[in-house]
Amino acid sequence: MKTKSIPAFIMLLAGAIACIAGIASHLEVAGFVKMLLIVLIVFYFLGCIVKIILDSNFKEEDKETTDGENASEDQEAGEDAAAENIDADRENGQKDE
């Protein structure tokens, strides 16, 4: 799973909500900028924590699924090789005639 953009997305979403709340409550610019900076920093770190948790959980699932995928890929490779052998036999049979 691609989790690289999760911290930025969470931070920007929280920033957008903070902007809407600041505009609705008619905050002064200096107070609004301080509040926005704090919100962005806090939610960036929360997003990093969420990213780490998701990476650790999906890392375990990736290991489990790759084991199963390798087996299915081996079966598909065997089936492809068998199909190629059949095609080659047919071509050789047609050349002999």
Side-chain angles (χ1 to χ4, degrees):
M1 180 175 180
K2 297 181 181 178
T3 58
K4 185 177 181 180
S5 61
I6 288 178
F9 180 75
I10 291 174
M11 177 186 69
L12 290 174
L13 184 64
I17 293 170
C19 286
I20 293 169
I23 292 170
S25 64
H26 303 290
L27 287 178
E28 293 183 15
V29 175
F32 174 72
V33 171
K34 288 178 186 176
M35 184 237 355
L36 183 61
L37 183 63
I38 292 169
V39 166
L40 292 178
I41 291 171
V42 168
F43 278 93
Y44 179 76
F45 286 118
L46 288 175
C48 288
I49 293 169
V50 169
K51 178 186 179 298
I52 291 169
I53 292 170
L54 287 176
D55 284 343
S56 65
N57 287 336
F58 282 107
K59 183 178 179 183
E60 293 172 2
E61 287 184 15
D62 287 343
K63 287 181 183 178
E64 292 173 5
T65 57
T66 54
D67 293 339
E69 287 177 3
N70 289 337
S72 65
E73 289 174 3
D74 292 340
Q75 287 177 341
E76 289 176 6
E79 292 171 359
D80 291 341
E84 289 176 5
N85 288 336
I86 292 171
D87 291 339
D89 291 339
R90 286 184 187 163
E91 289 176 7
N92 289 336
Q94 290 175 353
K95 288 181 183 178
D96 292 338
E97 294 174 2

